[in-house]
PDB file of all heavy atoms in Angstrom:
ATOM      1  N   PRO A 436      -2.876 -40.112   4.040  1.00  0.00           N
ATOM      2  CA  PRO A 436      -2.030 -38.914   4.224  1.00  0.00           C
ATOM      3  C   PRO A 436      -1.312 -38.475   2.947  1.00  0.00           C
ATOM      4  O   PRO A 436      -1.128 -37.279   2.712  1.00  0.00           O
ATOM      5  CB  PRO A 436      -1.030 -39.343   5.300  1.00  0.00           C
ATOM      6  CG  PRO A 436      -1.745 -40.412   6.067  1.00  0.00           C
ATOM      7  CD  PRO A 436      -2.590 -41.127   5.068  1.00  0.00           C
ATOM      8  N   GLU A 437      -0.934 -39.439   2.112  1.00  0.00           N
ATOM      9  CA  GLU A 437      -0.251 -39.080   0.869  1.00  0.00           C
ATOM     10  C   GLU A 437      -1.179 -38.295  -0.059  1.00  0.00           C
ATOM     11  O   GLU A 437      -0.764 -37.332  -0.705  1.00  0.00           O
ATOM     12  CB  GLU A 437       0.254 -40.348   0.172  1.00  0.00           C
ATOM     13  CG  GLU A 437       1.093 -40.066  -1.070  1.00  0.00           C
ATOM     14  CD  GLU A 437       1.666 -41.341  -1.675  1.00  0.00           C
ATOM     15  OE1 GLU A 437       1.719 -42.365  -0.960  1.00  0.00           O
ATOM     16  OE2 GLU A 437       2.051 -41.305  -2.857  1.00  0.00           O
ATOM     17  N   GLU A 438      -2.470 -38.700  -0.113  1.00  0.00           N
ATOM     18  CA  GLU A 438      -3.423 -37.978  -0.943  1.00  0.00           C
ATOM     19  C   GLU A 438      -3.698 -36.590  -0.368  1.00  0.00           C
ATOM     20  O   GLU A 438      -3.788 -35.603  -1.111  1.00  0.00           O
ATOM     21  CB  GLU A 438      -4.736 -38.758  -1.061  1.00  0.00           C
ATOM     22  CG  GLU A 438      -5.741 -38.060  -1.969  1.00  0.00           C
ATOM     23  CD  GLU A 438      -7.053 -38.833  -2.109  1.00  0.00           C
ATOM     24  OE1 GLU A 438      -7.166 -39.941  -1.537  1.00  0.00           O
ATOM     25  OE2 GLU A 438      -7.959 -38.300  -2.774  1.00  0.00           O
ATOM     26  N   VAL A 439      -3.812 -36.502   0.955  1.00  0.00           N
ATOM     27  CA  VAL A 439      -4.041 -35.201   1.592  1.00  0.00           C
ATOM     28  C   VAL A 439      -2.888 -34.255   1.276  1.00  0.00           C
ATOM     29  O   VAL A 439      -3.095 -33.094   0.903  1.00  0.00           O
ATOM     30  CB  VAL A 439      -4.216 -35.359   3.118  1.00  0.00           C
ATOM     31  CG1 VAL A 439      -4.204 -33.998   3.813  1.00  0.00           C
ATOM     32  CG2 VAL A 439      -5.517 -36.101   3.430  1.00  0.00           C
ATOM     33  N   ASP A 440      -1.658 -34.766   1.413  1.00  0.00           N
ATOM     34  CA  ASP A 440      -0.496 -33.924   1.112  1.00  0.00           C
ATOM     35  C   ASP A 440      -0.505 -33.466  -0.341  1.00  0.00           C
ATOM     36  O   ASP A 440      -0.160 -32.315  -0.645  1.00  0.00           O
ATOM     37  CB  ASP A 440       0.796 -34.692   1.401  1.00  0.00           C
ATOM     38  CG  ASP A 440       1.047 -34.877   2.886  1.00  0.00           C
ATOM     39  OD1 ASP A 440       0.400 -34.174   3.694  1.00  0.00           O
ATOM     40  OD2 ASP A 440       1.879 -35.732   3.253  1.00  0.00           O
ATOM     41  N   ALA A 441      -0.907 -34.374  -1.245  1.00  0.00           N
ATOM     42  CA  ALA A 441      -0.940 -34.017  -2.668  1.00  0.00           C
ATOM     43  C   ALA A 441      -1.980 -32.929  -2.932  1.00  0.00           C
ATOM     44  O   ALA A 441      -1.742 -32.000  -3.718  1.00  0.00           O
ATOM     45  CB  ALA A 441      -1.237 -35.254  -3.507  1.00  0.00           C
ATOM     46  N   ILE A 442      -3.136 -33.026  -2.266  1.00  0.00           N
ATOM     47  CA  ILE A 442      -4.189 -32.018  -2.458  1.00  0.00           C
ATOM     48  C   ILE A 442      -3.707 -30.652  -1.958  1.00  0.00           C
ATOM     49  O   ILE A 442      -3.851 -29.632  -2.636  1.00  0.00           O
ATOM     50  CB  ILE A 442      -5.477 -32.433  -1.725  1.00  0.00           C
ATOM     51  CG1 ILE A 442      -6.083 -33.686  -2.371  1.00  0.00           C
ATOM     52  CG2 ILE A 442      -6.490 -31.293  -1.731  1.00  0.00           C
ATOM     53  CD1 ILE A 442      -7.256 -34.270  -1.597  1.00  0.00           C
ATOM     54  N   LEU A 443      -3.125 -30.639  -0.754  1.00  0.00           N
ATOM     55  CA  LEU A 443      -2.673 -29.372  -0.179  1.00  0.00           C
ATOM     56  C   LEU A 443      -1.528 -28.776  -0.997  1.00  0.00           C
ATOM     57  O   LEU A 443      -1.456 -27.552  -1.176  1.00  0.00           O
ATOM     58  CB  LEU A 443      -2.244 -29.580   1.277  1.00  0.00           C
ATOM     59  CG  LEU A 443      -3.362 -30.032   2.228  1.00  0.00           C
ATOM     60  CD1 LEU A 443      -2.813 -30.227   3.638  1.00  0.00           C
ATOM     61  CD2 LEU A 443      -4.513 -29.025   2.243  1.00  0.00           C
ATOM     62  N   ASP A 444      -0.653 -29.630  -1.503  1.00  0.00           N
ATOM     63  CA  ASP A 444       0.436 -29.141  -2.349  1.00  0.00           C
ATOM     64  C   ASP A 444      -0.115 -28.553  -3.646  1.00  0.00           C
ATOM     65  O   ASP A 444       0.361 -27.515  -4.128  1.00  0.00           O
ATOM     66  CB  ASP A 444       1.415 -30.283  -2.639  1.00  0.00           C
ATOM     67  CG  ASP A 444       2.605 -29.812  -3.463  1.00  0.00           C
ATOM     68  OD1 ASP A 444       3.352 -28.940  -2.989  1.00  0.00           O
ATOM     69  OD2 ASP A 444       2.788 -30.316  -4.587  1.00  0.00           O
ATOM     70  N   LEU A 445      -1.126 -29.217  -4.220  1.00  0.00           N
ATOM     71  CA  LEU A 445      -1.751 -28.701  -5.443  1.00  0.00           C
ATOM     72  C   LEU A 445      -2.407 -27.349  -5.183  1.00  0.00           C
ATOM     73  O   LEU A 445      -2.283 -26.420  -5.994  1.00  0.00           O
ATOM     74  CB  LEU A 445      -2.783 -29.709  -5.953  1.00  0.00           C
ATOM     75  CG  LEU A 445      -3.614 -29.276  -7.167  1.00  0.00           C
ATOM     76  CD1 LEU A 445      -2.732 -29.068  -8.385  1.00  0.00           C
ATOM     77  CD2 LEU A 445      -4.711 -30.301  -7.460  1.00  0.00           C
ATOM     78  N   LEU A 446      -3.094 -27.216  -4.059  1.00  0.00           N
ATOM     79  CA  LEU A 446      -3.708 -25.937  -3.710  1.00  0.00           C
ATOM     80  C   LEU A 446      -2.657 -24.837  -3.619  1.00  0.00           C
ATOM     81  O   LEU A 446      -2.855 -23.718  -4.105  1.00  0.00           O
ATOM     82  CB  LEU A 446      -4.463 -26.054  -2.379  1.00  0.00           C
ATOM     83  CG  LEU A 446      -5.791 -26.798  -2.411  1.00  0.00           C
ATOM     84  CD1 LEU A 446      -6.320 -27.001  -0.983  1.00  0.00           C
ATOM     85  CD2 LEU A 446      -6.814 -26.020  -3.234  1.00  0.00           C
ATOM     86  N   HIS A 447      -1.531 -25.160  -2.982  1.00  0.00           N
ATOM     87  CA  HIS A 447      -0.462 -24.166  -2.834  1.00  0.00           C
ATOM     88  C   HIS A 447       0.073 -23.762  -4.199  1.00  0.00           C
ATOM     89  O   HIS A 447       0.288 -22.567  -4.472  1.00  0.00           O
ATOM     90  CB  HIS A 447       0.655 -24.744  -1.960  1.00  0.00           C
ATOM     91  CG  HIS A 447       1.697 -23.739  -1.574  1.00  0.00           C
ATOM     92  ND1 HIS A 447       2.715 -23.368  -2.434  1.00  0.00           N
ATOM     93  CD2 HIS A 447       1.885 -23.026  -0.449  1.00  0.00           C
ATOM     94  CE1 HIS A 447       3.469 -22.473  -1.843  1.00  0.00           C
ATOM     95  NE2 HIS A 447       2.996 -22.239  -0.633  1.00  0.00           N
ATOM     96  N   ARG A 448       0.287 -24.732  -5.087  1.00  0.00           N
ATOM     97  CA  ARG A 448       0.822 -24.427  -6.416  1.00  0.00           C
ATOM     98  C   ARG A 448      -0.156 -23.566  -7.217  1.00  0.00           C
ATOM     99  O   ARG A 448       0.248 -22.628  -7.913  1.00  0.00           O
ATOM    100  CB  ARG A 448       1.151 -25.710  -7.176  1.00  0.00           C
ATOM    101  CG  ARG A 448       2.351 -26.478  -6.635  1.00  0.00           C
ATOM    102  CD  ARG A 448       2.938 -27.386  -7.719  1.00  0.00           C
ATOM    103  NE  ARG A 448       1.951 -28.243  -8.331  1.00  0.00           N
ATOM    104  CZ  ARG A 448       1.606 -29.451  -7.883  1.00  0.00           C
ATOM    105  NH1 ARG A 448       2.175 -29.929  -6.787  1.00  0.00           N
ATOM    106  NH2 ARG A 448       0.709 -30.179  -8.516  1.00  0.00           N
ATOM    107  N   GLU A 449      -1.445 -23.892  -7.142  1.00  0.00           N
ATOM    108  CA  GLU A 449      -2.439 -23.121  -7.880  1.00  0.00           C
ATOM    109  C   GLU A 449      -2.493 -21.679  -7.370  1.00  0.00           C
ATOM    110  O   GLU A 449      -2.573 -20.735  -8.150  1.00  0.00           O
ATOM    111  CB  GLU A 449      -3.823 -23.782  -7.750  1.00  0.00           C
ATOM    112  CG  GLU A 449      -4.001 -25.007  -8.614  1.00  0.00           C
ATOM    113  CD  GLU A 449      -4.058 -24.652 -10.092  1.00  0.00           C
ATOM    114  OE1 GLU A 449      -4.983 -23.936 -10.514  1.00  0.00           O
ATOM    115  OE2 GLU A 449      -3.160 -25.091 -10.828  1.00  0.00           O
ATOM    116  N   LEU A 450      -2.461 -21.517  -6.048  1.00  0.00           N
ATOM    117  CA  LEU A 450      -2.503 -20.168  -5.488  1.00  0.00           C
ATOM    118  C   LEU A 450      -1.236 -19.396  -5.824  1.00  0.00           C
ATOM    119  O   LEU A 450      -1.274 -18.187  -6.081  1.00  0.00           O
ATOM    120  CB  LEU A 450      -2.691 -20.241  -3.970  1.00  0.00           C
ATOM    121  CG  LEU A 450      -4.091 -20.647  -3.502  1.00  0.00           C
ATOM    122  CD1 LEU A 450      -4.058 -21.089  -2.042  1.00  0.00           C
ATOM    123  CD2 LEU A 450      -5.065 -19.492  -3.684  1.00  0.00           C
ATOM    124  N   ALA A 451      -0.099 -20.086  -5.819  1.00  0.00           N
ATOM    125  CA  ALA A 451       1.156 -19.413  -6.159  1.00  0.00           C
ATOM    126  C   ALA A 451       1.167 -19.002  -7.631  1.00  0.00           C
ATOM    127  O   ALA A 451       1.628 -17.909  -7.977  1.00  0.00           O
ATOM    128  CB  ALA A 451       2.341 -20.330  -5.854  1.00  0.00           C
ATOM    129  N   GLU A 452       0.648 -19.866  -8.499  1.00  0.00           N
ATOM    130  CA  GLU A 452       0.592 -19.530  -9.920  1.00  0.00           C
ATOM    131  C   GLU A 452      -0.412 -18.413 -10.183  1.00  0.00           C
ATOM    132  O   GLU A 452      -0.256 -17.627 -11.116  1.00  0.00           O
ATOM    133  CB  GLU A 452       0.230 -20.768 -10.740  1.00  0.00           C
ATOM    134  CG  GLU A 452       0.307 -20.542 -12.243  1.00  0.00           C
ATOM    135  CD  GLU A 452       0.062 -21.817 -13.030  1.00  0.00           C
ATOM    136  OE1 GLU A 452       0.162 -22.911 -12.432  1.00  0.00           O
ATOM    137  OE2 GLU A 452      -0.233 -21.715 -14.232  1.00  0.00           O
ATOM    138  N   ASN A 453      -1.473 -18.375  -9.361  1.00  0.00           N
ATOM    139  CA  ASN A 453      -2.460 -17.295  -9.432  1.00  0.00           C
ATOM    140  C   ASN A 453      -3.054 -17.159 -10.837  1.00  0.00           C
ATOM    141  O   ASN A 453      -2.895 -16.129 -11.506  1.00  0.00           O
ATOM    142  CB  ASN A 453      -1.810 -15.971  -9.001  1.00  0.00           C
ATOM    143  CG  ASN A 453      -2.831 -14.910  -8.647  1.00  0.00           C
ATOM    144  OD1 ASN A 453      -4.017 -15.198  -8.495  1.00  0.00           O
ATOM    145  ND2 ASN A 453      -2.375 -13.677  -8.522  1.00  0.00           N
ATOM    146  N   PRO A 454      -3.761 -18.181 -11.319  1.00  0.00           N
ATOM    147  CA  PRO A 454      -4.233 -18.158 -12.710  1.00  0.00           C
ATOM    148  C   PRO A 454      -5.283 -17.094 -13.001  1.00  0.00           C
ATOM    149  O   PRO A 454      -5.543 -16.802 -14.169  1.00  0.00           O
ATOM    150  CB  PRO A 454      -4.826 -19.564 -12.891  1.00  0.00           C
ATOM    151  CG  PRO A 454      -5.198 -20.004 -11.516  1.00  0.00           C
ATOM    152  CD  PRO A 454      -4.152 -19.420 -10.618  1.00  0.00           C
ATOM    153  N   PHE A 455      -5.880 -16.503 -11.965  1.00  0.00           N
ATOM    154  CA  PHE A 455      -6.919 -15.498 -12.182  1.00  0.00           C
ATOM    155  C   PHE A 455      -6.412 -14.088 -11.906  1.00  0.00           C
ATOM    156  O   PHE A 455      -7.204 -13.167 -11.709  1.00  0.00           O
ATOM    157  CB  PHE A 455      -8.137 -15.802 -11.296  1.00  0.00           C
ATOM    158  CG  PHE A 455      -8.624 -17.218 -11.391  1.00  0.00           C
ATOM    159  CD1 PHE A 455      -8.801 -18.006 -10.260  1.00  0.00           C
ATOM    160  CD2 PHE A 455      -8.879 -17.788 -12.629  1.00  0.00           C
ATOM    161  CE1 PHE A 455      -9.228 -19.311 -10.351  1.00  0.00           C
ATOM    162  CE2 PHE A 455      -9.316 -19.106 -12.740  1.00  0.00           C
ATOM    163  CZ  PHE A 455      -9.489 -19.871 -11.596  1.00  0.00           C
ATOM    164  N   ARG A 456      -5.083 -13.908 -11.918  1.00  0.00           N
ATOM    165  CA  ARG A 456      -4.517 -12.610 -11.533  1.00  0.00           C
ATOM    166  C   ARG A 456      -5.017 -11.461 -12.405  1.00  0.00           C
ATOM    167  O   ARG A 456      -5.161 -10.342 -11.930  1.00  0.00           O
ATOM    168  CB  ARG A 456      -2.990 -12.649 -11.574  1.00  0.00           C
ATOM    169  CG  ARG A 456      -2.369 -12.860 -12.943  1.00  0.00           C
ATOM    170  CD  ARG A 456      -0.908 -12.431 -12.953  1.00  0.00           C
ATOM    171  NE  ARG A 456      -0.095 -13.202 -12.039  1.00  0.00           N
ATOM    172  CZ  ARG A 456       0.421 -14.402 -12.284  1.00  0.00           C
ATOM    173  NH1 ARG A 456       0.172 -14.970 -13.451  1.00  0.00           N
ATOM    174  NH2 ARG A 456       1.159 -15.017 -11.409  1.00  0.00           N
ATOM    175  N   ASP A 457      -5.261 -11.729 -13.683  1.00  0.00           N
ATOM    176  CA  ASP A 457      -5.629 -10.661 -14.600  1.00  0.00           C
ATOM    177  C   ASP A 457      -7.128 -10.610 -14.867  1.00  0.00           C
ATOM    178  O   ASP A 457      -7.582  -9.852 -15.723  1.00  0.00           O
ATOM    179  CB  ASP A 457      -4.890 -10.834 -15.934  1.00  0.00           C
ATOM    180  CG  ASP A 457      -3.381 -10.858 -15.744  1.00  0.00           C
ATOM    181  OD1 ASP A 457      -2.909 -10.190 -14.816  1.00  0.00           O
ATOM    182  OD2 ASP A 457      -2.700 -11.550 -16.519  1.00  0.00           O
ATOM    183  N   LEU A 458      -7.889 -11.442 -14.159  1.00  0.00           N
ATOM    184  CA  LEU A 458      -9.339 -11.476 -14.328  1.00  0.00           C
ATOM    185  C   LEU A 458     -10.007 -10.757 -13.163  1.00  0.00           C
ATOM    186  O   LEU A 458      -9.436 -10.647 -12.074  1.00  0.00           O
ATOM    187  CB  LEU A 458      -9.831 -12.930 -14.397  1.00  0.00           C
ATOM    188  CG  LEU A 458      -9.181 -13.808 -15.466  1.00  0.00           C
ATOM    189  CD1 LEU A 458      -9.697 -15.235 -15.357  1.00  0.00           C
ATOM    190  CD2 LEU A 458      -9.446 -13.259 -16.859  1.00  0.00           C
ATOM    191  N   ASP A 459     -11.209 -10.287 -13.382  1.00  0.00           N
ATOM    192  CA  ASP A 459     -11.934  -9.569 -12.330  1.00  0.00           C
ATOM    193  C   ASP A 459     -12.549 -10.579 -11.363  1.00  0.00           C
ATOM    194  O   ASP A 459     -13.772 -10.750 -11.290  1.00  0.00           O
ATOM    195  CB  ASP A 459     -13.010  -8.671 -12.951  1.00  0.00           C
ATOM    196  CG  ASP A 459     -13.565  -7.667 -11.950  1.00  0.00           C
ATOM    197  OD1 ASP A 459     -13.018  -7.578 -10.831  1.00  0.00           O
ATOM    198  OD2 ASP A 459     -14.540  -6.972 -12.286  1.00  0.00           O
TER     199      ASP A 459
END
Side-chain angles (χ1 to χ4, degrees):
E437 185 176 341
E438 182 179 357
V439 170
D440 288 344
I442 293 172
L443 297 179
D444 183 61
L445 175 63
L446 285 172
H447 189 280
R448 290 202 308 272
E449 283 291 297
L450 287 163
E452 187 175 343
N453 197 12
F455 310 127
R456 65 161 62 82
D457 302 328
L458 305 176
D459 194 7

